[in-house]
Amino acid sequence: VDPRAIPSRLAWETGQAMAESLLQRYREESGDFPTSVGLSVWGTSAMRTSGDDIAEVLALLGVRPEWDEQSRRVTQLQVIPLPELNRPRSDVTVRISGFFRDAFPHVVTMLDDAVQLVANLDEPDESNFVAAHARADLAEHGDQRRATTRIFGSKPGSYGAGILQVIESGTWRDDQDLAEVYTAWGGFAYGRDLDGAPAAEDMRANYRRIAVAAKNVDSAE
């Protein structure tokens, strides 16, 4: 697997369909578009599908990858104009696995670049939920990097979400205990120049906004 060829052209087609399916189902259930979507991304799935999940993130943001014809590698990201997109740009918070972090650092950077690209567009809040959230966060905290951080995972060198160990040990009482463990394990930010920086509060702020969360299953096994 060539990390720089993720998502593939076929994965992009699939990812767009997955994004539209998610948005359609949410609209049917709520009557509107989700302002923020949470997606869980695993490394093994990315290898099997050549990046379906990655393509879905880009599609939700309204960003199109472009490839080199010979190498099939992604060379740049192109913003899809709002008239062509025909819907608002959904904000996306991504929880990456430890293996994905290790195997696909280039893809992590690409996803972060896509968020930055969309967050800096001069578009109205109702058409660009990424920019709307970034502007609100910037006004409150005055930190542009924090306002556009959307990728979180476990601490560098660690793996998992910490939940399994707690459940097996029986040392939890309620959902709040599990949430605290999940945040403690997964509250590290990733992206360009962010190599697992502690960011538990940033993660909480992003998670509070999530209207719908999903984990795609690429295999019946």
Side-chain angles (χ1 to χ4, degrees):
V1 177
D2 182 355
R4 294 180 181 272
I6 286 181
S8 67
R9 289 182 183 275
L10 179 58
W12 170 240
E13 297 298 325
T14 306
Q16 288 181 93
M18 290 160 61
E20 291 305 319
S21 175
L22 184 149
L23 294 173
Q24 180 180 348
R25 177 174 174 180
Y26 186 84
R27 289 194 73 190
E28 290 173 351
E29 295 177 355
S30 69
D32 208 348
F33 287 100
T35 57
S36 184
V37 176
L39 290 177
S40 179
V41 177
W42 293 354
T44 50
S45 296
M47 287 183 167
R48 286 192 293 266
T49 68
S50 294
D52 285 0
D53 292 335
I54 306 307
E56 182 178 14
V57 174
L58 296 177
L60 289 167
L61 293 171
V63 174
R64 178 189 294 115
E66 295 187 355
W67 297 265
D68 176 76
E69 291 299 331
Q70 293 185 331
S71 68
R72 300 183 181 179
R73 288 181 167 184
V74 177
T75 56
Q76 63 179 341
L77 300 172
Q78 186 72 36
V79 172
I80 301 173
L82 285 174
E84 179 184 345
L85 192 63
N86 198 32
R87 60 167 173 81
R89 304 183 193 277
S90 290
D91 203 348
V92 186
T93 297
V94 182
R95 208 302 187 176
I96 58 173
S97 69
F99 178 62
F100 184 89
R101 171 201 65 211
D102 296 345
F104 300 101
H106 173 77
V107 181
V108 173
T109 300
M110 182 185 67
L111 287 177
D112 184 46
D113 288 345
V115 172
Q116 306 301 321
L117 193 62
V118 173
N120 289 302
L121 292 174
D122 185 14
E123 295 175 342
D125 288 358
E126 63 271 17
S127 299
N128 186 334
F129 298 133
V130 186
H133 294 155
R135 287 191 281 260
D137 197 277
L138 181 62
E140 181 178 356
H141 299 284
D143 186 340
Q144 178 68 19
R145 195 65 185 91
R146 170 197 164 113
T148 56
T149 299
R150 296 292 185 274
I151 305 169
F152 300 92
S154 53
K155 186 177 181 180
S158 65
Y159 303 86
I163 301 297
L164 182 60
Q165 295 90 324
V166 175
I167 291 177
E168 289 181 340
S169 66
T171 57
W172 64 287
R173 297 182 302 277
D174 51 32
D175 290 350
Q176 183 62 33
D177 290 341
L178 298 179
E180 288 298 325
V181 171
Y182 184 85
T183 304
W185 273 67
F188 297 86
Y190 289 89
R192 189 174 292 278
D193 302 321
L194 282 177
D195 298 319
E201 187 50 45
D202 298 354
M203 178 185 175
R204 290 190 185 95
N206 277 276
Y207 273 47
R208 291 188 192 106
R209 284 196 293 257
I210 291 175
V212 55
K215 171 67 186 85
N216 297 311
V217 180
D218 64 281
S219 170
E221 299 177 1

